[in-house]
Amino acid sequence: MPIHSSVLELIGQTPIVKAQRLDAGVCELYLKLESANPGGSIKDRIGLSMIEAAEKRGDLKPGATLVEGTAGNTGLGLALVAQQKGYKLILVVPDKMSREKIFNLKAMGAEVRLTRSDVAKGHPEYYQDLAKTIAEQTPGAYFVNQFGNPDNPAAHEFGTGPEILEQMDGDLDAIVFGCGSSGTMTGLSRAFATLSPKTELVLADPVGSILAEYINDGVLNDKSGSWLVEGIGEDFLPSISDFSRVKKAYAITDAESFHTARELLGKEGILGGSSTGTLLAAALKYCKEQTTPKKVLVLVCDTGNKYLSKMYNDYWMLDNGFLERPQHGDLRDLILRPYGQRDTVVIGPNDLLTTAYQRMKLYDVSQLPVLDGDQLVGIVDESDVLLHVYGDEARFRDPVATAMVSKLDRLDVKSPIEALLPVFDRGQVAIVMDGDTFFGLITRIDLLNYLRRRVQ
């Protein structure tokens, strides 16, 4: 292996793995690990392509400011290249983007501006429109415009497509991809039209996006839904898009996307992102519909490291109704972290307050049940700790028992849901019991999540 002079030299030439444990019917399924790019996604390719093409045209001067709207990984690809080349970067991102991506962007020096994810193209707060406005109002700024930039599909027409065919020895029956800016689809379509006309192009699309209906039925809907999968799906046709060779599309739900991504990790050991789950789910559907063996390749668009707080977090999956737990018909159905499953974060009366504080921070909770063995003896929350230590920080070393509330209002597990409201009105959390047996806590957000799940 050569020694490289820049991380940018590691973009591309990503490996392909043949799936061994996924059920692909009569087909052979191949996984193209775009997650192995240095920025963790396929978008590294277009980040490099769009910036270097602008440099060659003379559109970028040293120290220039780049501006872009991104709902997925394009921002990370641009941030990687901008950082290495010394450009300032302003990114406008919708507020559904995972925290890991935002933290990653900021750590790489990008300026991140959050905007609404519940508005469509044409609205001034739509991420692409807002990015264009910022670029127009920023002296000397360059609007990257991935959705209308021909250097986007060129990265795949002359890079990704030929690379795949070389790795597959020119033999590929179908490729499954997603569409956000449409650069991947358009570029691969052009590459395969020239180099491998037999390769069928299959689109994976989130339910709520307009693209699957457009491909399958020829209907261009002017109204889209909403979806949680990041980076793919659209509510309009990007100007650089070329759907002419795409003959088949699958609409995949968020739930199926998340579960399929988790299955990929569980069976093949590959940690893919949310859009990878969408693509893989579509690929498996396509494979199972075939009656003759075919070689099918699916893109692992990005790494799942950016989604650990979301689809790889069981509590997030439960909160959003993507994981099911046995229903009891009582208040147990509202407890996110049941004590009986050892999911409840607890503290002991003799533990130190500094331990309680650290545990609250680590698990992002505001209160801890205090248990002596299996007996509930109190509860301690942020206010209790604050009032105890304020004015004398050394009291963080006092035992929890000195600050906890031991006079508790407890709710029987068979109580009606309405019984929660007076508890919340007093500013407390609900402590759910069955006699002396502690079941867990219910917070306001637990009740809100429960009510929201009932209308899904």
Side-chain angles (χ1 to χ4, degrees):
M1 294 290 289
I3 295 176
H4 297 276
S5 59
S6 168
V7 70
L8 301 184
E9 296 177 3
L10 302 178
I11 295 174
Q13 295 301 322
T14 56
I16 293 177
V17 175
K18 183 178 180 181
Q20 301 294 329
R21 296 174 181 83
L22 294 168
D23 182 6
V26 298
C27 295
E28 295 178 0
L29 183 61
Y30 296 85
L31 305 157
K32 174 75 165 162
L33 303 187
E34 289 300 298
S35 53
N37 280 304
S41 87
I42 192 172
K43 299 299 188 178
D44 287 6
R45 295 177 185 265
I46 68 170
L48 185 63
S49 172
M50 293 189 295
I51 290 178
E52 290 196 336
E55 289 175 331
K56 290 176 182 176
R57 290 192 300 268
D59 293 341
L60 290 177
K61 306 300 181 186
T65 297
L66 310 176
V67 182
E68 180 61 331
T70 172
N73 288 297
T74 300
L76 289 166
L78 288 171
L80 179 71
V81 181
Q83 177 201 63
Q84 293 299 301
K85 290 178 173 286
Y87 298 118
K88 179 181 178 182
L89 177 63
I90 300 174
L91 294 171
V92 181
V93 303
D95 54 17
K96 74 174 183 178
M97 184 181 279
S98 70
R99 291 184 299 170
E100 287 92 345
K101 285 184 185 175
I102 293 171
F103 296 154
N104 194 341
L105 288 169
K106 290 182 177 180
M108 295 175 72
E111 179 182 336
V112 178
R113 302 190 187 181
L114 288 178
T115 191
R116 293 167 60 181
S117 59
D118 62 341
V119 292
K121 187 170 177 60
H123 191 285
E125 293 185 66
Y126 186 66
Y127 69 102
Q128 295 165 36
D129 295 287
L130 182 55
K132 183 179 180 182
T133 299
I134 292 172
E136 291 170 347
Q137 296 174 350
T138 303
Y142 177 72
F143 181 38
V144 179
N145 189 21
Q146 61 174 311
F147 291 85
N149 190 330
D151 302 320
N152 177 351
H156 304 294
E157 180 179 359
F158 303 109
T160 317
E163 178 184 313
I164 289 171
L165 287 172
E166 181 181 6
Q167 290 173 299
M168 296 295 296
D169 294 325
D171 186 14
L172 182 64
D173 296 299
I175 183 169
V176 183
F177 49 81
C179 182
S181 67
S182 80
T184 303
M185 175 199 67
T186 300
L188 291 178
S189 177
R190 292 171 180 168
F192 290 123
T194 302
L195 303 173
S196 181
K198 77 162 188 172
T199 302
E200 187 175 356
L201 305 178
V202 181
L203 175 68
D205 202 36
V207 168
S209 168
I210 67 170
L211 301 180
E213 184 180 22
Y214 176 67
I215 295 298
N216 293 331
D217 305 323
V219 175
L220 184 57
N221 202 324
D222 60 357
K223 293 184 178 179
S224 65
S226 61
W227 57 94
L228 293 175
V229 167
E230 297 181 29
I232 59 172
E234 272 306 338
D235 50 9
F236 72 105
L237 299 185
S239 61
I240 59 171
S241 62
D242 178 1
F243 291 89
S244 60
R245 292 194 64 246
V246 184
K247 306 302 181 186
K248 181 72 174 177
Y250 295 89
I252 306 296
T253 65
D254 283 332
E256 192 171 5
S257 298
F258 299 149
H259 284 289
T260 306
R262 288 163 67 112
E263 182 184 9
L264 176 64
L265 178 59
K267 291 186 176 179
E268 302 290 344
I270 295 172
L271 182 64
S274 59
S275 58
T276 295
T278 308
L279 272 59
L280 180 57
L284 293 173
K285 287 179 183 290
Y286 174 86
C287 288
K288 291 173 185 176
E289 290 174 0
Q290 306 310 305
T291 56
T292 57
K294 290 185 178 180
K295 290 185 175 181
V296 180
L297 184 140
V298 61
L299 299 171
V300 177
C301 311
D302 70 344
T303 173
N305 287 336
K306 302 160 189 169
Y307 308 88
L308 296 178
S309 65
K310 285 191 169 184
M311 67 180 189
Y312 291 108
N313 178 348
D314 285 352
Y315 298 125
W316 185 89
M317 293 284 284
L318 285 164
D319 273 345
N320 287 276
F322 297 125
L323 286 180
E324 296 294 331
R325 240 185 351 220
Q327 296 297 294
H328 302 280
D330 54 35
L331 290 182
R332 281 175 289 180
D333 297 341
L334 282 76
I335 300 173
L336 179 63
R337 296 174 171 85
Y339 178 67
Q341 298 178 17
R342 292 300 186 258
D343 283 346
T344 307
V345 183
V346 302
I347 196 81
N350 297 318
D351 290 328
L352 303 183
L353 284 173
T354 187
T355 304
Y357 164 77
Q358 291 168 351
R359 205 162 287 179
M360 289 180 196
K361 294 284 287 182
L362 177 63
Y363 292 100
D364 194 23
V365 295
S366 300
Q367 62 284 310
L368 296 172
V370 184
L371 280 95
D372 189 358
D374 283 332
Q375 293 299 306
L376 181 70
V377 296
I379 192 165
V380 61
D381 65 17
E382 293 168 331
S383 296
D384 299 325
V385 177
L386 175 60
L387 291 173
H388 190 82
V389 304
Y390 187 76
D392 184 3
E393 291 83 353
R395 300 188 73 182
F396 267 111
R397 293 193 291 271
D398 290 351
V400 168
T402 62
M404 72 182 188
V405 174
S406 55
K407 185 178 180 181
L408 304 175
D409 292 326
R410 310 172 189 220
L411 275 182
D412 184 80
V413 68
K414 300 298 183 183
S415 300
I417 290 178
E418 291 75 15
L420 296 170
L421 300 180
V423 176
F424 297 152
D425 192 48
R426 295 193 297 270
Q428 300 173 340
V429 296
I431 301 167
V432 182
M433 308 286 296
D434 183 12
D436 291 332
T437 302
F438 172 60
F439 280 161
L441 303 179
I442 300 175
T443 66
R444 293 178 182 86
I445 195 63
D446 293 332
L447 177 56
L448 283 170
N449 286 335
Y450 173 79
L451 296 174
R452 180 173 54 82
R453 289 195 297 271
R454 291 175 63 180
V455 298
Q456 286 181 342

